[in-house]
Amino acid sequence: MMPVSQRGSEKWPRKRLKFVATYNDDILPEDTDDFEEINYVEISGVSLTGGIEETSRIYFHEAPSRARRKVRSGDVLISTVRTYLKAIAAVPQAEANLIASTGFCVIRPGDEMDSTFLGWVAKSEPFVSEIVARSVGVSYPAINASELATLEVPLPSFDTQRRIAKFLNEKTARIDALIAKKQALLDRMGEKRQALITRAVTKGLNPTAPMKDSGIDWLGEIPAHWKVIRLHFLTSEPLKYGANAPADFDNPDWPRFVRISDVDENGQLRPDTFRSQPQEVAEPYMLQEQDILLARSGATVGKSFIYRSSWGSGCFAGYLIRARLLSEVSSEFVYRFLNSSAYWEWVRANFIQSTIQNISAEKYGNLWIALPSERHEQDQISRFLDSACEQIDQQLAKICASLDKLAEYRAALITAAVTGRLKLEAV
């Protein structure tokens, strides 16, 4: 990788954005024909690195009331709500009838500003940080378009702008291609990990073991000496919903309040990400080692994790369901089963495709589990998966670290180029 120089900065003039561009020029009128087709882009369809990643082709009468801002080729979209998402996109070539949410400020550069260069400026770290810093609100931070337009942007000569834009287009394309290859490898490793788990918890470790039909379509064949049993028959008490008390307390002597968002993609608890609860509120919802927690609604529906006492005392939130298993059942094995593709096939088929994504305690209780009849075999499979997954996870961690470095380099390169910290001969 070419190092980003910190020297060679030019004394470029700077102007407020509103003096080199206009914003929110074109609005889709209310009397638009109901059956006019539009390509609608909302904040969830835009990312800082990918730009516009998703649009919806819909009739005007089907569109939300916020689908109003017309977008032309050369415009730059900058989200003004939930600014922490950093939904910013340059639009070199706009789709026909492209309409953005009113949650965007649509910037249209004037004669002094090259549109591609402005797009890179908008994605540079100083500019993005300034937007976030000026946003108002905690849970839904936002910035007014008029406030955004007062931010300053660098204004080198038009020729320099075009050379910088060309350089960044070419350089980031190479970086993005490398990122895509590593992401593809990451995806394959993730698939390998899940396939390994799925085979172990549905077929066992002995490839020559006699098999039988489980009687469950999404499970298929299982070892002949295993059983298929519903989850609620494996628990020492009924599955329990979590506490609905607000997490607005903070006393180090109280138990911590565990939410599904506090857990990473590997089922590990993120430290210091949740507040404590008063003891009297927490008591009925206290967690024990090896308790399994299941997400019951929303985007996380179907996800699970196993509680470790090393995390400290904690109670669980209302949109989680606790399964406390019998002592003769391996919680580690059941947790692995809940990470298998067979289990996720059950979730997708029954709940994720529904209008309201929700899995109740009763539905979770009726989940069929493929289970070795003997505890020692459950433990053997769990130990095997611990070892095998640890090796894969180490490889995944290396790939993720490499992706992080590439992303950091990409961001640093953009910032250095648009702020004049790269020598002009380099671009």
Side-chain angles (χ1 to χ4, degrees):
M1 293 182 184
M2 185 186 69
V4 176
S5 171
Q6 300 298 313
R7 301 190 298 270
S9 174
E10 295 185 358
K11 299 298 182 182
W12 290 342
R14 298 179 65 84
K15 286 188 177 182
R16 295 184 187 272
L17 186 58
K18 63 183 179 180
F19 296 134
V20 294
T22 58
Y23 60 94
N24 297 340
D25 293 347
D26 294 333
I27 301 294
L28 196 64
E30 293 289 342
D31 61 357
T32 299
D33 186 283
D34 282 348
F35 290 96
E36 180 174 339
E37 287 189 318
I38 65 172
N39 287 302
Y40 175 55
V41 57
E42 55 186 345
I43 291 173
S44 61
V46 172
S47 74
L48 187 64
T49 55
I52 296 178
E53 298 175 330
E54 182 180 357
T55 60
S56 302
R57 189 161 184 80
I58 53 179
Y59 291 117
F60 175 72
H61 74 91
E62 299 173 328
S65 59
R66 59 183 180 275
R68 288 294 180 271
R69 303 213 187 283
K70 289 186 177 181
V71 183
R72 294 181 181 175
S73 298
D75 288 350
V76 177
L77 306 183
I78 302 176
S79 62
T80 56
V81 297
R82 290 186 293 167
T83 50
Y84 56 84
L85 294 176
K86 302 177 182 179
I88 299 173
V91 188
Q93 188 66 46
E95 296 179 74
N97 221 6
L98 182 61
I99 305 298
S101 163
T102 53
F104 287 107
C105 181
V106 180
I107 306 294
R108 189 161 295 163
D111 295 337
E112 291 183 278
M113 182 69 72
D114 176 75
S115 62
T116 307
F117 176 76
L118 179 58
W120 289 118
V121 171
K123 295 184 177 189
S124 66
E125 181 57 34
F127 191 87
V128 173
S129 296
E130 188 68 17
I131 291 174
V132 174
R134 295 198 188 194
S135 298
V136 177
V138 178
S139 59
Y140 201 77
I143 183 173
N144 288 328
S146 57
E147 173 74 9
L148 189 154
T150 65
L151 300 185
E152 290 188 337
V153 294
L155 195 66
S157 69
F158 199 82
D159 179 64
T160 299
Q161 292 179 42
R162 297 190 70 176
R163 285 192 291 135
I164 290 173
K166 182 176 183 293
F167 166 79
L168 287 176
N169 286 345
E170 294 172 353
K171 191 69 176 180
T172 57
R174 296 192 199 107
I175 297 172
D176 291 344
L178 184 56
I179 288 174
K181 288 181 180 179
K182 288 184 177 292
Q183 185 62 55
L185 178 59
L186 195 68
D187 293 341
R188 289 196 298 271
M189 292 296 294
E191 291 169 1
K192 177 182 176 181
R193 186 182 191 276
Q194 190 173 62
L196 183 72
I197 292 171
T198 300
R199 177 161 187 82
V201 299
T202 61
K203 310 298 180 188
L205 302 180
N206 181 4
T208 63
M211 307 295 284
K212 68 179 180 182
D213 185 0
S214 67
I216 310 297
D217 289 343
W218 50 271
L219 268 181
E221 289 191 332
I222 62 172
H225 63 288
W226 286 24
K227 56 187 175 182
V228 179
I229 187 169
R230 294 192 187 273
L231 178 60
H232 67 80
F233 288 122
L234 303 178
T235 60
S236 59
E237 59 184 61
L239 275 70
K240 184 178 179 63
Y241 293 104
N244 286 317
D248 55 359
F249 303 95
D250 194 9
N251 186 318
D253 296 328
W254 290 337
R256 295 183 294 176
F257 193 66
V258 179
R259 302 163 298 193
I260 196 71
S261 58
D262 302 321
V263 182
D264 65 21
E265 60 277 6
N266 294 319
Q268 300 299 311
L269 196 69
R270 298 185 178 96
D272 304 323
T273 56
F274 50 92
R275 308 293 295 275
S276 57
Q277 286 287 293
Q279 187 67 47
E280 63 272 17
V281 171
E283 194 61 44
Y285 306 98
M286 292 299 294
L287 292 164
Q288 296 179 8
E289 174 78 11
Q290 301 290 295
D291 280 347
I292 292 177
L293 293 175
L294 304 142
R296 67 185 180 96
S297 61
T300 60
V301 68
K303 290 188 176 181
S304 64
F305 65 94
I306 189 167
Y307 193 71
R308 313 292 185 187
S309 58
S310 60
W311 296 345
S313 62
C315 60
F316 59 108
Y319 43 85
L320 290 172
I321 296 171
R322 182 184 68 196
R324 182 166 291 167
L325 302 188
L326 296 164
S327 58
E328 59 265 32
V329 178
S330 167
S331 295
E332 298 287 349
F333 179 89
V334 173
Y335 172 63
R336 292 295 188 184
F337 183 87
L338 296 171
N339 282 273
S340 68
S341 57
Y343 163 75
W344 277 104
E345 185 177 338
W346 172 77
V347 172
R348 285 190 293 269
N350 292 280
F351 307 106
I352 289 182
Q353 294 178 356
S354 62
T355 303
I356 301 176
Q357 299 180 18
N358 185 286
I359 306 180
S360 66
E362 180 182 8
K363 290 174 181 176
Y364 268 125
N366 284 324
L367 168 68
W368 290 105
I369 305 285
L371 191 71
S373 300
E374 300 295 332
R375 172 65 189 254
H376 72 86
E377 186 177 1
Q378 299 171 29
D379 292 337
Q380 181 186 26
I381 292 172
S382 297
R383 288 192 297 269
F384 166 78
L385 288 175
D386 285 345
S387 175
C389 288
E390 182 180 2
Q391 295 178 37
I392 295 175
D393 290 344
Q394 288 175 356
Q395 297 176 57
L396 290 172
K398 290 180 181 178
I399 299 171
C400 287
S402 178
L403 283 169
D404 289 343
K405 288 181 180 178
L406 283 169
E408 290 172 4
Y409 173 70
R410 186 184 193 276
L413 185 70
I414 293 169
T415 296
V418 302
T419 56
R421 285 185 289 161
L422 280 179
K423 293 181 179 180
L424 281 181
E425 54 266 29
V427 298

